[in-house]
Every structure is written in C-alpha cells, then in structure tokens.
C-alpha cells in the first residue's frame, strides 16, 4: 500500500532482509547504546543466528524522519519519530518541531514510546497464522480444550486459518445462536458474522464509571478541572491517588513542575510516596488503599469542627447555592429518606461522629494530619483537589465520587481561578478545557450487535463454566447503564479477542483460564503470543500501527498527532480491516457492510476532518487540502483552506496549538455553572451537585448486588466485602490477623502500559517485575531485597522478586500491574506474579471491582528462586517452524 509521504518503502530491500535488519537493530546492544548506531558503526550478527550481516554507516545520511505511532493506552499521547534509511529504522526521537518553553512545550515521549521499535520488530512478533496442534473444528473432544495454554503451535496459511475459523463460527452460530459467543469489545466483523455477549467492568475508572452524570459530574469525572495556565495560581494542589509521572509520562509532569517552581505546594494522598510526590516535594498523607472513605469523612468532620470553632473554613454560600443533600435544609426534591451527609458525619444516625480518631484505625492517617488537611481545604486557600482512579478501583468505594465532590464543595473549590475539584487523568491531566485542535474521523458503516446483553466481567467466567445461567443485564457499554433486564443465557462456546487484552487485564484470571479451556473455540488477533493468544486455538497475526497507512488522534486539548506508515507489514501480518474482510468473505458476507472504505480513504478523512479553534470561538478546518493533494492520494474529497498544509501536517507529525497565558482560551472548571446555575444546570435531576443523589442510588439498588442494603443515597462508610477489615479474623480491626493479613494493590508502573510492553526486552532489563514491600513487613517475614516472594490469596498464588521500600505504608503490598501470566501447570503458581491471577471476583454494593484492595499473604519462597525478569525467555512459538512468508 502506498503512503502519502513515501518515506518507508521497501524499494531497496527484500521483505526477509528488512525483517532481519530490523531484528538485528532491535537485538543489538551496540545499536541500543546509541539507539541506532553512531556514525561509522557496524552492526553484525552471526549467520548461525539466522541474521545476515548489516552495516549502517552514517545512519542519518540519506535517511528520513517519519512521524511514527506511539499507540498504547498509557495516557501520555506524545510525539514519536523514527528515522528510516533504506527501509530500516536506524534512530528514534521525540518532539523537536519547535523550541521548548513553558508556554509552548514540546510533546515529549517517555521510555515506553522509545521502546516502540521492539513492538514492531521484536523477535517474538507473530508473523504467520497459527493453529493450536491439539485443536480441531467440530466441538466436543475435537476441541481438546484442556490443552489451551500448554499445547504446541503450527504455522498454517491464511486460507486455512480463515476457512477453519469460519467453519467453526458457522457451526456454533447454527447450534447456539449469537449468544453462543463472548467478546469483551465486539467489532463490526463480529457484529455481522454472528454477534456475541459482551462483558463490562468498572476497570480503569472504578466507581466513577457508575452514574457520574446523575450526581452532576461529567462522565467518569473528566473535563471539569482547570487549564494548565491556572495551575500556578493555586496555593495547594492535591494529587489524590495520582502519579502522572508514571501513569501519564509526558506534558502533565511538566505542567506541575511549573506550578511548583511558581510556589504552589503539593500534597500527595496515596499508600506509596510515589514518583510524582517525590519529584514535586509533596507532603505525603499515607492512606491505606481502599479506606479513603474513612479518611474523607474524618476530613469533613474536621472542616465542620474548625469552621465552628474558628470560622472561615466552609464556604456555606457555595454549598447552599450549588449543592443539594449536604444538610437537612438543602435536600433534593426526590429524596426518599430524611438523612443527610452533615448529620451522618456528626453521628446523628449511629451515635458515631466520624472524627479523625474514629478514622485512624481504618485508614492509618494520624489525627493531626487529618486536621492539617482540613485546613488546606478551607475556603481561604486556593486549593485544587485533583484525583486519579486508583482509590475507586476498590471494593466499598461506591460513594467516593460524591464524597470527594462534597469536600471540594465544602471549601468552595470550583468555578474560580486557583480552585478546582476534578479528574487528573491521561493526556488531559493538569490541562482541562475544550479542544483547541481536534482530530477528524472517517464516517464508517454502522453495524449492530444482535445481542444486547452485557454481563459483568467478574461473573462472566462463572457463566461460561456453568454452561449458561441467569444474569442481570444492566449495561449497554462501559459507563452506560440502564434499568436491569433479567436474562437467561445458554452455553457460551466461542470466545473472540480483537483489540483487547481481556484475559490478562481482567480480575479473576485463574478462573478466566479455566473458562477459556471450557469453550470449543477461541479466535484471537495478536501481534505477539499474548495471554489472549496463548489460550486460543487460532491466532491471526495483526499489524502494529507502524505497519498501517497512518492515523490522526487527539492527544491533549492543544495537540493533534498525525502518524504515518513506517514499514510494510512484517511477515504475513494484516491490518484489522484486512482480517475482518477475509472473515466476512469467508462467511459469505459483503465486507462493505462493515468497512466500505479503504484505509487510505479513512486516513484522509481523519486529516480533512481535523479542526482548530478560530478567533470567533468556532472550530474550523485545520489542514489545507488542494485538488492536487486529493489526486496524489487517490481518494475522494474536497479542497479546503486550513492553517497548515497537508505536507507539513504529515511531516511535522500533526499540529500543536501555540498558547499564551492571555490568549483567551484559559478554562476554569464549573465557571459557567457557578456564574449562573439556572442557565447552566448540571446533568443531575436537580441541576446541581447532588451530594445526596436518589437517582443514582435507586438505579444501582435495582441491580440487586449483594450488600446494597448497607448503602445510602449519600456517602457513608461501608465495610467492603474484601478490604482492610478482611486482614483481621472476623473483620475486627486490631484483633488477630487473618490468613491474608496484608492489603494488596496494583500500581501502574513505567515498565508497562497496562500489559503492553511486558515482553519488551529493553524495558525488562531496565525495570524488573517486583513486588513492593514495606521494610518492616519484609524484615518480619525474613525477606531481603531480591528474594523470591510467594504472594498468596484466596484466588491464586504468584512469584515476584522483593523490592524493599521505606516509602510504602506498613501492611500494604504493591504488585505492579500488567505482568503476563506464566502458570506452572504442576503447582498452579504463576511464575510472573500476574496481579489479576491473584484477584478474585468478589463484589458488592454497586458492583465495583476490587482491583486495589484485595488481601494477601507474603512469604519467602522455599522453592527454586526466580531469576531476573530480563533473563526470562520471551514467549516464542513453541513447536512451530517459521517458514518463509507465502503469498
């Protein structure tokens, strides 16, 4: 496929030579040292290793820089460029399209982006369709399902792969109908071929997934904090469960550094004194994971006490004007019980005032720290209360959105400069507001899944193992919930994995493996032998973004990224659209019903539809396109006037809106609502911030999840089904420790983006696969730095190497997220210590999944120690002889 820039063609190298060259560079320590050799360097590989000699002299001479995708969901959305010379990537860099400054920052990438070369050219890339040797179509014993994850693989042709897949899809569909299949995120191909039952979970956003609009917040509480130029106006910035230096390594960190240098003070609330807190010299309030509600309630109590005793702490005008449900005099019209948050905090309903002394045994925060934090939240301070989502990926965290919103409202920290209450997430972290530039999109055919049922992911594996059963359908998709629809499902016999990493990134992974072994057919698209692929029957090799024609994506409000093709597809890998087309043709379905446009046409429409904010406040075309451009691309389109030429847009890697503090595009979250709440109502029933929200409670109560009766329509402390109390026998805090006496959580980690990059040799060498342990806990257990640790939970067991920390709360165990599971079939122990292999499916209340407050035990492992993670062999194709690509 031709590309508009023509910079990464294969004119001078054969396909096999290119793959060898890319592999040589990716594997070579000499190349790694300079990320592409220094002038005059020669990279050589032994012929016996299957790689011919490759010499690169003066790598920049005759090369061309190409804007290359950095496509994984880390949250940074940064610029990535590679130099292509004679069809080989010889260097890589990040944004240098303009001078870097505080006002006009470069969109610099992180170490993960700089390792993307191995995602394209890694030695473990899947280059051919694969079939599990023990599987045959037809179901029953032919499936040999118990061998999934253990079997060998054989290389097959695309024709055979598509034929077998379509044969099995037709058989299952004919026998069981569309509910005979499961897919976490179905695509147009699946919708048209057969349909499927979907899975949903609270995953990334935790309880913020569940009805935020009903309490007056934006979806998942993203979008109502302030513009980056307002950060230095704050006296204090609270980073609640937020570590952007690791989770969104890019411009957000730079924004916060500027605020620090201007005198803003930072406070970090987290069980770990994390990298962001260290960098910003933040005051640390260590809160046990999953106990944040107790800490927040105690903070509110102290704000009430200090306001009564000293005054000027609570902004009563803000509470009375913009919220409902804080006290008895300001209740929503639809309230069904005569209770409110203020009286609950003061102990009116249970004779238990929520004092710092009440909270300390639960959350671990000293009373004097609670009092100091309450003062910071006082109305006289300019305070930004910014949160991420680790604290709401916990059992028992259902009401935290309302409680954190209430704390911000108590101090009046919304709608004015220096004040904010809202999310601190992904590329918009530290820089919220309407998009100043935005990516366009291609209009594609709309397909509909014939199955409307969505099953809660933690229940889905049990449903498969039970051969079907009764479920309550409550979700159309992630973040979209409706009244429950009781549904009875029959057996699920087929599983599709498309663009997800469901088996790796969903909790209850051990049971998920059993469920994958229980079905008759698993079809996966993958670039590597991922966990999804490992437990499949047919694996179809899919291209990386470097091998596709290109795309445009919105990054932050000021930057749109346009990346282009770096190389032709490796081996026999195909794009998702090409694979979908083959499957639909194999099923006798017209592929135009799903796609209807070439990928080149789609790329062009994304560019043509990109927009920029004009002086009149309206969005207008961003890219100038001429009739000659359209003819050169060979696409359908219309000429248009923009602010950047098509050639420059592509070569620059997109467009960044140049800002100044006084450019008129600053943004203050909730400013319109605060200026006129009647003319600018929020999305709640009252149009205000609903601290007491009947609608959200009623909807969630209708699901009938266990323990819902313990909740109220306003924030209260509820003992979670699994959490800190579970570390004690009988749930009695301070009593005898239970079988699982430690709280476990799963921090995001620079080594990986979720589970992506876990196979990357460079990152495996730089960062290991540790378990974070408090020094005193490790000493008590006789564990030293680097020892192999056995982590045990009710759900499973795993091994990791100990990293001993002084900056982690006692009793807390950190298992960084995303390690690819590696189960010892004899012992059942996961040698990789996958976080989700250790997590069970327990839930209660509104149905939030407890990713970050499960309980565990730790001990020094008495078996064979595990080695350094970089010494573990990658998942190559066991038993398969890789042949030359065939037509």
């Amino acid at each position: 496929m031709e590309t508009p820039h023509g910079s990464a063609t294969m004119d001078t190298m054969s396909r096999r030579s290119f793959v060898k060259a890319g592999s040589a560079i990716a594997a070579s320590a000499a190349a790694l040292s300079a990320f592409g050799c220094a002038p005059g360097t020669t990279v050589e590989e032994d012929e016996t290793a299957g790689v011919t000699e490759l010499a690169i002299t003066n790598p920049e001479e005759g090369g061309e820089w190409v804007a290359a995708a950095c496509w994984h969901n880390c949250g940074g959305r940064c610029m990535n460029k590679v130099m292509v010379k004679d069809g080989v990537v010889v260097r890589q860099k990040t944004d240098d399209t303009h001078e870097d400054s505080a006002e006009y920052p470069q969109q610099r990438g992180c170490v993960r982006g700089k390792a993307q070369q191995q995602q394209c050219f890694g030695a473990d890339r899947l280059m051919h369709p694969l079939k599990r040797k023990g599987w045959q179509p037809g179901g029953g014993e032919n499936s040999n399902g118990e061998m999934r994850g253990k079997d060998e693989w054989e290389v097959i042709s695309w024709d055979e792969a598509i034929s077998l897949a379509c044969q099995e899809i037709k058989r299952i569909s004919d026998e069981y109908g569309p509910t005979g299949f499961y897919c976490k995120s179905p695509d147009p191909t699946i919708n048209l071929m057969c349909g499927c039952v979907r899975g949903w979970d609270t995953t990334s956003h935790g309880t913020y997934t569940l009805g935020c609009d009903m309490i007056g917040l934006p979806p998942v509480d993203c979008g109502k904090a302030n513009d980056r130029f307002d950060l230095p106006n704050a006296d204090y910035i609270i980073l609640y469960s937020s570590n952007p230096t690791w989770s969104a390594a890019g411009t957000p960190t730079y924004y916060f550094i500027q605020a620090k240098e201007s005198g803003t003070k930072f406070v970090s609330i987290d069980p770990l004194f994390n990298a962001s807190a260290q960098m910003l010299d933040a005051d640390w309030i260590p809160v046990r994971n999953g106990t944040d509600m107790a800490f927040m309630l105690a903070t509110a109590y102290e704000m009430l006490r200090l306001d009564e005793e000293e005054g000027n702490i609570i902004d009563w005008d803000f509470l009375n004007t913009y919220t409902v449900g804080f006290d008895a005099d300001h209740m929503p019209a639809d309230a069904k019980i005569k209770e409110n948050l203020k009286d609950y905090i003061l102990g009116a309903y249970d004779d238990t005032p929520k004092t710092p002394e009440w909270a300390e045994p639960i959350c671990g925060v000293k009373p004097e720290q609670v009092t100091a934090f309450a003062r910071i939240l006082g109305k006289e301070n300019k305070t930004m209360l910014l949160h991420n989502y680790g604290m709401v990926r916990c059992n028992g965290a259902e009401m935290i959105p309302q409680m954190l919103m209430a704390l911000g409202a108590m101090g009046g920290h919304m709608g004015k400069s220096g004040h904010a209450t809202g999310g601190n997430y992904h590329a918009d972290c530290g820089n919220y507001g309407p998009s100043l530039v935005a990516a366009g999109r291609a209009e594609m055919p709309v397909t509909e899944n014939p199955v409307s049922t969505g099953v809660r992911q933690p229940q889905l594996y049990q449903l498969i193992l039970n051969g079907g059963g009764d479920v309550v359908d409550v979700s159309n998709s992630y973040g979209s919930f409706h009244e429950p629809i009781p549904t009875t499902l029959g057996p699920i016999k087929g599983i599709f994995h498309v663009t997800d990493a469901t088996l790796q990134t969903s909790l209850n992974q051990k049971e998920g493996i059993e469920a994958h072994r229980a079905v008759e057919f698993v079809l996966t698209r993958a670039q590597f032998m991922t966990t999804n692929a490992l437990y499949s029957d047919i694996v179809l090799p899919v291209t990386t973004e470097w091998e596709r024609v290109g795309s445009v994506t919105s990054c932050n409000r000021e930057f749109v990224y346009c990346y282009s093709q770096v190389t032709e597809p490796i081996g026999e890998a195909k794009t998702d659209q090409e694979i979908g087309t083959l499957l639909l043709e194999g099923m006798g379905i017209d592929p135009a019903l799903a796609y209807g446009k070439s990928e080149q046409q789609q790329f062009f429409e994304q560019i043509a539809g990109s927009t920029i904010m004009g002086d009149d406040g309206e969005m207008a075309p961003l890219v100038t396109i001429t009739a000659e451009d359209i003819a050169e691309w060979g696409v359908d389109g219309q000429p248009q006037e923009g602010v950047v030429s098509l050639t420059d847009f592509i070569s620059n890697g997109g467009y960044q809106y140049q800002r100044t503090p006084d450019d008129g595009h600053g943004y203050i979250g909730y400013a319109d609502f605060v200026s006129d709440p009647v003319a600018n109502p929020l999305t709640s029933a009252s149009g205000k911030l609903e601290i007491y929200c009947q609608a959200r409670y009623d909807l969630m109560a209708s699901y009938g999840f266990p323990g819902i009766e313990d909740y109220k329509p306003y924030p209260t402390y509820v003992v979670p089904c699994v959490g800190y109390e579970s570390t004690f026998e009988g749930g009695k805090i301070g009593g005898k420790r239970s079988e699982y006496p430690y709280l476990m959580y799963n921090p995001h980690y620079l080594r990986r983006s979720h589970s992506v990059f876990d196979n990357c040799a460079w990152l495996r060498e730089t960062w290991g696969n540790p378990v974070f342990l408090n020094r005193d806990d490790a000493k008590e257990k006789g564990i030293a730095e680097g020892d192999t640790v056995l982590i045990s939970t009710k759900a499973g067991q795993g091994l990791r190497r100990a990293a001993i920390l002084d900056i982690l709360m006692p009793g807390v165990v950190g298992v960084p997220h995303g390690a690819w599971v590696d189960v010892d079939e004899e012992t059942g122990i996961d040698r990789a210590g996958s976080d989700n292999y250790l997590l069970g499916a327990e839930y209660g209340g509104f149905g939030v999944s407890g990713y970050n407050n499960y309980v565990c035990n730790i001990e020094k492992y008495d078996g064979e120690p595990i080695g350094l993670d970089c010494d573990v062999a990658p998942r190559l194709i066991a038993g398969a002889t890789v042949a030359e690509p065939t037509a």
Side-chain angles (χ1 to χ4, degrees):
M1 181 180 296
E2 291 187 358
T3 59
H5 53 77
S7 62
T9 60
M10 302 297 297
D11 297 338
T12 60
M13 299 185 71
S14 71
R15 159 71 14 229
R16 187 161 179 81
S17 296
F18 176 78
V19 173
K20 289 178 179 179
S23 298
I25 292 177
S28 170
L32 173 59
S33 66
F35 210 101
C37 310
T41 300
T42 297
V43 179
E44 297 181 356
E45 292 290 334
D46 194 313
E47 279 286 350
T48 60
V51 180
T52 56
E53 180 179 293
L54 169 70
I56 301 176
T57 303
N58 297 324
E60 294 193 18
E61 184 179 336
E64 181 176 357
W65 287 106
V66 180
C70 194
W71 66 92
H72 299 300
N73 191 29
C74 73
R77 307 293 196 274
C78 313
M79 182 174 286
N80 196 9
K81 287 193 173 184
V82 299
M83 173 168 281
V84 181
K85 181 179 180 180
D86 296 331
V88 179
V89 172
V90 296
R91 287 196 184 279
Q92 187 168 340
K93 66 180 180 180
T94 186
D95 186 12
D96 61 357
T97 56
H98 56 82
E99 291 295 322
D100 187 48
S101 68
E103 291 187 359
Y104 193 33
Q106 294 173 348
Q107 304 294 314
R108 296 179 183 176
C110 74
V111 293
R112 290 175 294 215
K114 294 172 184 176
Q116 287 285 17
Q117 189 180 121
Q118 288 196 350
Q119 295 299 95
C120 184
F121 304 122
D124 54 344
R125 269 295 301 274
L126 298 183
M127 298 170 64
H128 314 282
L130 300 175
K131 173 187 166 295
R132 187 169 60 84
K133 282 189 174 181
W135 176 86
Q136 296 296 329
E141 293 183 358
N142 288 348
S143 300
N144 196 18
E146 69 277 4
M147 287 299 293
R148 290 192 183 100
K150 298 180 282 187
D151 219 337
E152 292 187 335
W153 296 89
E154 57 186 1
V155 174
I156 60 176
S157 69
W158 271 103
D159 286 346
E160 184 178 4
I162 297 300
S163 176
L164 287 170
C166 291
Q167 177 182 340
E168 198 66 354
I169 292 167
K170 289 175 182 176
R171 181 188 66 80
I172 294 173
S173 186
D174 287 346
E175 186 170 353
Y176 299 100
T179 60
F181 300 91
Y182 157 70
C183 182
K184 177 71 178 294
S185 304
D187 71 353
T189 303
I190 294 170
N191 289 346
L192 291 171
M193 288 194 307
C194 52
C196 63
V197 175
R198 295 168 294 101
W200 68 269
D201 195 5
T202 52
T203 53
S204 294
H205 297 99
T207 188
Y208 278 94
T209 310
L210 303 170
C212 269
D213 58 320
M214 296 180 178
I215 62 177
L217 296 179
V220 298
D221 200 26
C222 286
K224 289 290 186 179
N226 297 4
D227 176 79
R228 64 183 173 97
F229 285 120
D230 196 53
L231 297 180
N233 294 327
D235 298 322
Y236 296 92
I237 293 178
I238 315 300
L239 298 181
Y240 204 123
S241 191
S242 185
N243 184 15
T245 301
W246 275 7
S247 62
T251 51
T253 296
Y254 189 34
Y255 304 151
F256 290 125
I257 289 174
Q258 293 169 42
K260 177 182 182 296
E261 291 176 347
S262 73
T264 300
K265 298 177 182 178
F266 284 80
V267 178
S268 174
I269 304 175
D270 199 279
L272 175 73
F273 188 55
N274 61 48
S276 299
Q278 295 174 49
M279 179 193 65
L280 296 167
D281 193 24
D283 290 336
W284 180 34
I285 302 178
V287 177
R288 291 188 183 101
N289 40 304
T291 67
D292 299 273
M293 180 60 79
F295 169 69
M296 291 181 185
L297 288 167
T299 299
Y301 179 91
E302 280 298 272
M303 292 180 73
L304 288 165
R305 182 185 67 81
L306 292 170
D307 188 75
E308 183 175 350
E309 294 177 2
E310 303 173 8
N312 287 330
I313 295 293
I314 294 179
D315 189 334
W316 292 105
D317 288 340
F318 190 95
L319 281 172
N320 296 341
T321 304
Y322 303 107
T323 76
V324 294
F326 182 75
D327 60 24
D329 295 331
H330 300 86
M331 294 296 289
D334 59 354
K336 295 179 181 178
I337 60 173
K338 295 182 178 180
E339 296 182 12
N340 62 81
L341 178 60
K342 177 186 174 185
D343 288 339
Y344 170 76
I345 290 170
L346 297 176
Y349 311 127
D350 56 6
D351 295 323
T352 304
K354 307 308 176 290
T355 65
E357 291 74 19
W358 162 82
E360 183 181 12
I362 304 171
C363 66
V365 181
K366 292 179 171 55
E368 57 267 28
Q369 284 185 294
V370 177
T371 303
F373 184 59
R375 292 188 185 278
I376 289 172
L377 290 182
K379 70 176 186 178
E380 296 297 299
N381 293 319
K382 293 182 177 180
T383 299
M384 294 187 179
L385 180 56
L386 305 180
H387 71 85
N388 217 303
Y389 298 93
M391 84 289 200
V392 291
R393 294 196 288 267
C394 298
N395 289 308
E398 276 79 353
M399 301 304 289
I400 282 180
Q402 280 160 265
M403 189 64 227
L404 190 119
M405 180 181 76
L407 288 177
M410 289 173 74
H413 300 306
M414 299 179 198
K416 51 192 174 184
S417 176
H419 304 255
T421 302
N424 200 42
Y425 184 65
H426 262 195
D428 291 324
C429 174
N431 190 25
Y432 283 93
S435 294
L436 300 176
V437 284
R441 65 187 185 90
E443 294 292 336
M444 298 293 287
V446 176
T447 63
E448 186 173 344
N449 185 354
V451 182
S452 62
T453 302
V455 176
R456 191 175 175 278
Q457 188 70 35
Q459 297 168 280
L460 187 102
Y461 296 143
Q462 195 58 237
L463 184 77
I464 292 174
L465 291 170
N466 290 340
D470 296 331
V471 298
V472 179
D473 175 19
V474 301
S475 169
N476 292 322
S477 62
Y478 184 74
S480 177
F481 295 87
H482 53 71
E483 295 289 338
I485 303 172
T487 305
T488 299
L489 292 176
I492 291 177
K493 295 295 184 179
I495 295 176
F496 298 115
H497 291 302
V498 186
T499 58
D500 57 80
T502 302
L503 183 55
Q504 182 60 63
T505 57
S506 296
L507 48 69
N508 206 21
Q509 186 179 40
K510 186 176 182 180
E511 191 169 78
I513 292 171
E514 295 172 6
H516 277 67
R517 287 173 170 164
V519 299
E520 295 178 348
F521 181 52
V522 184
L523 176 67
T524 294
R525 302 176 207 170
Q527 295 161 357
F528 309 95
M529 188 54 69
T530 61
T531 300
N532 282 353
L534 184 65
Y535 292 92
S536 298
D537 300 313
I538 292 179
V539 181
L540 305 177
V542 67
T543 58
T544 67
E545 292 293 327
W546 281 20
E547 301 154 76
R548 304 188 185 197
V549 63
S551 188
V552 184
T553 181
S554 294
C555 299
N556 54 57
R557 67 182 303 229
E558 301 167 15
F559 179 52
V560 163
Y561 192 35
C562 177
Y563 56 83
S564 301
Q565 189 168 5
V566 172
T567 172
E568 294 294 323
I570 303 297
E572 294 185 289
K574 297 182 183 295
T575 68
D576 288 286
Q577 180 163 325
E578 290 171 334
I579 293 172
T581 296
L582 290 175
L583 286 168
L584 289 171
E585 288 175 344
M587 296 290 290
I589 300 170
D590 183 1
L593 296 174
Y595 305 107
K597 294 177 181 177
S598 71
E599 293 176 72
Q600 180 89 340
Q601 178 70 38
Q602 293 171 46
F603 184 26
F604 175 81
E605 290 182 14
Q606 290 176 345
I607 295 173
S610 296
T611 54
I612 184 170
M613 180 77 74
D615 294 337
D616 58 359
E618 299 295 325
M619 301 300 282
L622 172 62
V623 182
T624 295
I625 296 174
T626 66
E628 291 76 14
D629 292 329
I630 295 169
E632 181 180 348
W633 277 55
V635 295
D636 295 328
Q638 295 294 325
Q640 64 183 34
E641 280 294 321
V643 300
V644 60
S645 72
L646 178 60
T647 300
D648 287 344
F649 185 68
I650 291 171
S651 63
N652 290 339
Y655 185 88
Q656 183 175 345
Y657 196 104
Q658 190 165 356
R659 298 285 313 280
T660 61
D662 59 352
D663 61 9
H665 295 302
Y667 180 78
I668 305 296
Y670 297 101
D672 55 349
F673 169 65
V674 169
S675 66
D676 190 341
V678 176
N680 302 287
L682 302 178
T683 53
S684 63
S686 65
K688 298 184 178 184
L689 298 166
E690 296 204 354
I691 296 169
Y692 177 117
C693 183
Q694 195 68 53
R696 182 175 188 250
Y697 174 83
D698 287 348
L699 178 62
M700 301 303 163
S702 70
Y703 300 167
F705 292 152
I708 187 63
E709 63 277 0
D710 296 330
Y711 289 84
K712 299 290 181 70
Y714 62 90
T716 62
Y717 182 75
V718 175
V719 175
C721 59
V722 178
Y724 181 59
E725 285 84 351
S726 307
T727 64
F728 298 91
E729 289 189 359
K732 303 294 185 183
I733 294 177
K736 185 179 179 181
R737 287 289 185 171
S738 72
E739 181 181 0
Y740 304 110
Y742 299 93
L743 266 176
M744 183 178 74
Y745 83 119
N746 310 130
H748 288 209
Y749 185 48
L750 269 176
R751 151 84 172 270
R752 298 178 279 257
S753 173
H754 300 290
S755 66
V756 180
F757 296 112
D758 190 53
N759 60 320
C760 178
W762 295 349
L763 295 177
R764 290 173 81 88
E765 185 175 3
T766 307
W767 286 280
N769 189 40
V771 54
F772 297 158
L773 304 177
N774 171 272
R775 185 173 301 279
D776 291 339
D777 293 337
K779 183 177 180 181
E780 181 182 353
K781 289 286 190 170
I783 298 171
E785 182 78 18
D787 282 350
T788 298
V789 176
L790 176 66
I791 310 164
S792 301
T793 71
K794 183 180 177 180
Q797 292 183 304
L799 301 177
R800 293 225 180 174
R801 288 169 59 91
I804 311 301
L805 304 178
D806 295 307
I807 54 174
L808 178 69
M809 289 188 74
V812 174
V813 171
V815 182
H817 171 54
W820 289 8
V821 71
D822 179 19
V823 179
D824 184 324
E825 295 293 342
E826 292 185 7
T827 65
I829 296 174
D830 174 24
R831 290 170 292 225
S834 168
D835 48 321
N836 288 316
Y837 193 79
L838 301 170
L839 294 174
E842 295 90 341
Y843 67 98
F846 290 11
V848 178
S849 292
Y851 287 91
N852 275 336
N853 67 331
Y854 212 64
V855 295
C856 71
N857 193 18
I858 54 169
E859 55 190 303
K860 185 175 179 179
Y861 185 52
D862 59 8
E864 182 179 355
I866 56 175
L868 293 172
D869 211 37
C870 59
D871 294 331
V872 177
R875 285 185 186 170
L876 299 177
I877 307 168
T881 300
V882 179
E884 286 281 358
T886 56

